[in-house]
């Protein structure tokens, strides 16, 4: 859980400061106000800026979206049937199949018993309930349409689950081929090439360049395999630490949108998610600037999130949605056109849903043809490996035959 440094004053004007563990800054403010402290400044990080690794957070798996879909569907049915909220939450916390969700629901139920609202209780568990989820529940509570908010969330997460399944299905074949090639490369360098190397050494023939490259690579694998494993593991941890920084995460997310072959697919999927999320929030009655901020956070792409937050700041400064969307440089002409028409007609949510459906169909088509586009690249890689291996082994064997005949 994040740690916050705070500075504030008591009711008598005396200064105070300290450290509080809380999931969000809003919870820190609430805890300080309950203690009679007026907060002056709240800053993240209560350990003097020292680098810490949360082992529990690394080992805890992410909550599957399927569990959230089932939870929303069940709570929607219970709420629509008129079952009291506290009773519904107690029953769902006992029957949840996800351990992480079950623990969170038990704590939420306890907070409900203490008099908190459902949205503020869920806000204390950001690892389980995202800000988008909490905002939808908050709007549903305030408008008396909690059941409709839960139904909209269920539809939203169902669409997310379907998109992820399609992406996993499309990437299964390329992942299998690349994994097989890496395993074959490791076995060849450790087991096969050393046998040929010893045979060539006994005959004393002059080795061609491809064979020298193969033998040098094989010796490096055999002698330094442990160091290679350490370097790979250290590289993975270093990469993980780099993308956990704000600048590193933004650069990596920007690179993902520019990657060959799959970059356009990722970009369309992100635009579809933004359109669907933004339309969902507007349709639920969430204010425009808050809807834009929540939609940006829901993308999971720091580069796009920062551009959308800049767009939010421009709107708050008096700009129109369409003009700020053009200046952001991240939207396609289709999205900009739909936003412009929706801004004029007051139907942005409906038009953005159409945009989302359009991009969903585009992403579905791209995923179906992804294997056909990646296959030539994989064939070139495999052919290059076979060519180098064949030249490295057969060229010195021909030289050995010439030596024997000579």
């Amino acid at each position: 859980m994040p740690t916050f440094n705070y500075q504030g004053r008591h009711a008598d004007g005396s200064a105070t400061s300290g450290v509080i563990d809380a999931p969000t800054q809003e919870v820190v403010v609430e805890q300080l106000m309950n203690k009679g402290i007026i907060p002056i400044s709240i800053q993240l990080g209560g350990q003097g800026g020292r680098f810490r690794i949360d082992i529990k957070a690394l080992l805890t798996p992410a909550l599957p979206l399927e569990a959230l879909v089932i939870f929303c569907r069940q709570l929607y049915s219970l709420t629509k049937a008129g079952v009291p909220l506290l009773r519904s939450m107690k029953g769902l916390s006992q029957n949840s199949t996800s351990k992480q969700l079950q623990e969170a629901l038990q704590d939420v139920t306890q907070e409900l018993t203490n008099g908190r609202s459902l949205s503020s209780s869920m806000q204390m568990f950001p690892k389980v309930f995202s800000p988008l989820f909490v905002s939808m529940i908050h709007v549903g509570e305030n408008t008396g349409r909690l059941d409709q908010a839960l139904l909209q969330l269920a539809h939203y997460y169902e669409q997310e689950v379907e998109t992820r399944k399609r992406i996993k299905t499309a990437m299964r074949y390329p992942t299998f081929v690349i994994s097989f090639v890496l395993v074959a490369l490791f076995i060849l360098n450790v087991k096969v090439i050393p046998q040929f190397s010893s045979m060539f050494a006994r005959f004393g023939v002059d080795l061609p360049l491809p064979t020298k490259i193969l033998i040098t690579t094989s010796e490096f694998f055999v002698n330094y395999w442990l160091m290679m494993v350490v370097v790979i593991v250290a590289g993975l941890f270093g990469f993980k630490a780099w993308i956990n920084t704000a600048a590193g995460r933004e650069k990596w997310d920007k690179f993902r949108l520019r990657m060959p072959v799959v970059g356009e697919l990722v970009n369309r999927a992100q635009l579809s998610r933004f359109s669907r999320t933004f339309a969902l929030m507007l349709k639920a009655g969430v204010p425009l600037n808050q809807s834009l901020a929540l939609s940006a956070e829901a993308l999971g792409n720091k580069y796009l999130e920062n551009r959308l937050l800049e767009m939010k700041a421009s709107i708050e400064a008096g700009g129109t949605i369409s003009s700020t969307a053009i200046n952001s440089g991240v939207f396609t002409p289709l999205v900009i056109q739909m936003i412009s028409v929706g801004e004029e007609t007051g139907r942005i949510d409906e038009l953005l849903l159409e945009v989302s459906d359009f991009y969903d169909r585009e992403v579905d088509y791209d995923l179906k043809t992804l294997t056909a586009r990646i296959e030539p690249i994989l064939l070139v890689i495999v052919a290059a490996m076979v060519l180098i291996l064949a030249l490295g082994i057969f060229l010195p064997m021909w030289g050995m035959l010439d030596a024997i005949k000579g």
Side-chain angles (χ1 to χ4, degrees):
M1 184 174 293
T3 302
F4 292 88
N5 286 328
Y6 73 87
Q7 293 181 352
R9 291 187 180 276
H10 291 287
D12 58 1
S14 58
T16 182
S17 62
V19 177
I20 289 182
D21 292 333
T24 62
Q25 190 171 353
E26 289 77 9
V27 177
V28 176
V29 174
E30 185 177 351
Q31 292 182 11
L32 292 176
M33 295 297 289
N34 291 335
K35 295 178 181 179
I37 299 174
I38 301 174
I40 297 176
S41 68
I42 300 175
Q43 295 180 346
L44 181 64
Q47 297 297 322
R50 291 183 296 176
F51 179 74
R52 295 186 302 166
I53 299 178
D54 192 349
I55 302 297
K56 184 178 180 181
L58 292 176
L59 298 179
T60 302
L63 179 68
L65 290 182
E66 290 84 352
L68 279 180
V69 171
I70 295 173
F71 167 71
C72 291
R73 286 286 184 182
Q74 290 176 337
L75 189 56
Y76 162 73
S77 301
L78 292 171
T79 304
K80 193 173 181 61
V83 180
L85 181 60
L86 185 58
R87 179 181 170 187
S88 301
M89 293 297 294
K90 285 182 179 179
L92 293 177
S93 63
Q94 294 173 357
N95 299 324
S96 177
T97 56
S98 172
K99 185 69 175 177
Q100 190 176 357
L101 180 60
Q102 185 180 34
E103 293 176 354
L105 291 179
Q106 289 174 352
D107 292 337
V108 168
T109 304
Q110 183 62 41
E111 294 297 328
L112 288 173
T113 307
N114 295 336
R116 281 181 179 269
S117 64
L118 180 61
S119 57
S120 61
S121 301
M122 289 180 169
Q123 190 178 14
M124 300 177 65
F125 306 95
K127 296 293 184 182
V128 178
F129 304 107
S130 65
L132 183 145
F133 194 102
V134 174
S135 296
M136 287 292 295
I137 296 298
H138 179 70
V139 171
E141 285 180 318
N142 291 339
T143 59
R145 300 172 57 192
L146 181 60
D147 55 341
Q148 293 300 317
L150 289 167
L151 184 61
Q152 289 176 335
L153 284 171
H155 289 317
Y156 172 80
Y157 285 116
E158 284 172 354
Q159 190 69 33
E160 288 291 310
V161 169
E162 289 299 321
T163 302
R164 292 188 182 186
K165 285 183 179 180
R166 292 201 301 266
I167 293 175
K168 288 181 181 179
T169 302
M171 295 302 296
R172 188 174 299 149
Y173 171 73
T175 303
F176 172 78
V177 172
I178 294 174
S179 302
F180 179 78
V181 168
L182 292 177
V183 172
L185 183 64
F186 182 80
I187 294 176
L188 285 173
N189 279 283
V190 173
K191 296 294 183 181
V192 179
I193 296 178
Q195 301 296 327
F196 285 96
S197 177
S198 61
M199 181 179 67
F200 296 151
R202 287 196 302 269
F203 279 88
V205 295
D206 188 21
L207 299 178
L209 180 61
T211 308
K212 293 180 180 178
I213 294 175
L214 283 179
I215 293 176
T216 303
T217 305
S218 175
E219 290 177 350
F220 184 81
F221 266 81
V222 172
N223 298 327
Y224 301 102
W225 66 269
L226 183 59
M227 185 183 71
M228 290 177 60
V229 173
V230 173
V231 169
I232 291 173
V233 173
L236 291 175
F237 274 99
F239 177 75
K240 184 73 173 177
W242 178 66
I243 63 175
N244 282 336
T245 63
R249 185 70 189 185
E250 183 174 355
K251 291 180 180 178
W252 170 244
D253 287 338
K254 183 179 180 180
F255 172 73
R256 287 169 55 198
L257 299 175
R258 305 288 191 271
M259 288 175 64
V261 182
V262 298
E264 189 66 25
L265 171 63
V266 173
N267 193 27
R268 289 178 179 176
Q270 295 282 20
L271 288 175
S272 173
R273 177 183 290 182
F274 165 76
S275 301
R276 185 168 58 249
T277 308
F278 194 33
L280 175 67
M281 302 303 291
L282 290 176
K283 192 173 182 180
V286 180
L288 177 63
N289 56 348
Q290 186 179 354
S291 299
L292 197 57
L294 292 171
S295 302
E297 187 175 353
L299 286 177
N301 187 297
K302 204 66 180 177
Y303 174 75
L304 293 178
E305 180 181 345
N306 290 338
R307 304 291 82 75
L308 291 172
L309 292 178
E310 293 172 358
M311 179 178 168
K312 169 179 171 287
S314 299
I315 292 175
E316 291 174 343
T320 61
I321 304 177
S322 56
S323 62
T324 54
I326 294 173
N327 295 332
S328 66
V330 297
F331 295 109
T332 61
L334 173 64
V335 178
I336 294 174
Q337 183 181 4
M338 287 296 193
I339 289 176
S340 300
V341 175
E343 192 175 19
E344 294 177 1
T345 60
R347 297 170 55 225
I348 295 181
D349 54 343
E350 297 179 14
L351 293 176
L352 284 178
L353 283 176
E354 294 181 9
V355 171
S356 176
D357 293 337
F358 172 79
Y359 278 121
D360 281 339
R361 291 191 294 269
E362 288 288 309
V363 168
D364 191 37
Y365 174 77
D366 288 342
L367 289 174
K368 289 178 181 178
T369 59
L370 180 62
T371 302
R373 285 181 288 167
I374 291 181
E375 272 182 349
I377 301 175
L378 297 177
L379 287 175
V380 169
I381 294 174
V382 174
M385 288 182 55
V386 172
L387 178 62
I388 294 174
L389 185 64
L391 290 176
I393 292 178
F394 288 114
L395 284 179
M397 293 181 69
W398 292 333
M400 290 166 54
L401 289 175
D402 293 337
I404 293 173
K405 290 180 182 179

